[in-house]
Amino acid sequence: MENNAAAWPSERGLRVGAQQLNRRLAAYRDALGMDPALDFHSLRRSYVTHLIEDGWDPRFVQEQVGHNHASTTSIYTCVSSDYRTRTLRRALDSMVTDALTPTTGGKR
């Protein structure tokens, strides 16, 4: 079973496969009239995004989803425009504060 693409143990068998998970989610999605692009993998992308937006260390998030490279994890991250705005605002505020803080003898 090492090469099995299955996810979790099940009372009906050894594992629940990714195809079964996608079929079940698609049935619920369609019944609720949700976007057809929503698939089981969307939950994984959502998990990554929520961790990043909640301030978890990017390296921790990368380890959580088993990626070897941070660039792969970044592909999964679809942060909101509000999060991007807050992050940019913090960076700009920090730069302005640093620029306006007088220095004396090479130290602030």
Side-chain angles (χ1 to χ4, degrees), residues 3-78:
N3 294 325
N4 188 343
W8 298 289
S10 166
E11 72 278 357
R12 294 185 191 104
L14 295 176
R15 301 246 178 219
V16 176
Q19 288 181 332
Q20 177 59 26
L21 292 170
N22 269 322
R23 280 194 299 270
R24 181 64 58 94
L25 180 65
Y28 291 141
R29 175 199 67 213
D30 295 345
L32 294 169
M34 298 174 83
D35 187 335
L38 179 66
D39 62 2
F40 193 75
H41 204 74
S42 299
L43 300 177
R44 182 176 166 93
R45 290 187 294 272
S46 178
Y47 175 68
V48 168
T49 299
H50 284 292
L51 288 176
I52 293 295
E53 286 190 346
D54 286 345
W56 288 90
D57 182 87
R59 178 66 180 159
F60 170 79
V61 177
Q62 179 184 335
E63 290 290 326
Q64 281 286 292
V65 291
H67 292 156
N68 291 326
H69 306 285
S71 59
T72 305
T73 307
S74 70
I75 293 168
Y76 277 69
T77 308
C78 305

